[in-house]
Amino acid sequence: MTTALYPGSFDPVTLGHLDIVLRAASMYDSVVVAVAHSRSALFSTDERVAFFSEAVADLPNVRVIAHHGLTVDCARAEGATVLVKGLRSTTDFSYEFDMALMNRKMAPDVDSAFLMTSVEYLVLSSSRVRELASFGLDVSDLVPPGVAAALQEKFGEE
Ligand code: ADP
């Protein structure tokens, strides 16, 4: 039984993240999505966990948790032996390459696996979604419906 951990800030979860988690869920027995605490996030940790949980409610082998601290510690606590990461670009690659080597140095029992983005999500990131929504643009084709509604509520008020 192999458990994979999919860590990130998911501020907020996008269809790009969901594509990665769906594919990971078909490769591993179970997937734990670890939502990192962040003081600078637009949405609270609880909100980010709730958005992701709602979006994967129909995937029985996916769980969503909040975490802070080292990703490898979270992986060990969850019994995960694989860290799943999504790659969009060579910028993602260089960042993730360093991170994977550092994580493996700290935890040789936890390895990293990389899934290439699907081409339709190549330029999709949470920061781009936040920026577009802050200008009042419709992002309902980029994020799950619950997130689109929350963004509209947040920026609609301003
Ligand atoms: P971001 O703000 O860039 O979306 P996150 O920390 O929330 O960053 O991302 C978590 C993980 O999901 C990272 O491994 C990241 O590379 C990956 N990811 C983010 N967006 C996409 C996408 N559109 N396609 C594939 N992987 C993605």
Side-chain angles (χ1 to χ4, degrees):
M1 157 117 182
T2 306
T3 298
L5 192 85
Y6 180 36
S9 44
F10 309 115
D11 183 37
V13 59
T14 69
L15 299 189
H17 298 132
L18 290 178
D19 173 58
I20 297 294
V21 89
L22 254 171
R23 289 157 60 198
S26 71
M27 297 167 67
Y28 300 104
D29 299 300
S30 71
V31 177
V32 178
V33 177
V35 178
H37 283 282
S38 163
R39 283 170 197 267
S40 56
L42 176 66
F43 290 105
S44 71
T45 308
D46 286 350
E47 286 174 312
R48 288 178 285 131
V49 168
F51 293 147
F52 214 135
S53 302
E54 187 186 354
V56 294
D58 56 347
L59 297 177
N61 63 337
V62 178
R63 279 190 306 121
V64 184
I65 61 166
H67 97 94
H68 61 269
L70 284 175
T71 303
V72 288
D73 288 343
C74 179
R76 283 186 172 139
E78 293 298 321
T81 51
V82 180
L83 299 178
V84 167
K85 298 295 191 80
L87 290 181
R88 282 160 295 194
S89 60
T90 49
T91 321
D92 274 355
F93 176 83
S94 11
Y95 175 78
E96 296 294 354
F97 185 83
D98 283 11
M99 190 67 99
L101 293 185
M102 189 51 74
N103 282 335
R104 211 143 72 84
K105 187 174 160 64
M106 290 186 287
D109 50 324
V110 179
D111 217 330
S112 298
F114 300 93
L115 295 178
M116 299 303 153
T117 187
S118 298
V119 71
E120 60 270 40
Y121 305 128
L122 186 60
V123 295
L124 177 54
S125 67
S126 296
S127 57
R128 184 143 300 143
V129 163
R130 292 194 303 273
E131 191 180 9
L132 294 175
S134 74
F135 287 115
L137 295 175
D138 178 20
V139 291
S140 53
D141 55 341
L142 306 176
V143 294
V147 172
L151 283 167
Q152 204 171 8
E153 197 175 316
K154 202 172 262 296
F155 291 110
E157 287 166 0
E158 288 177 4

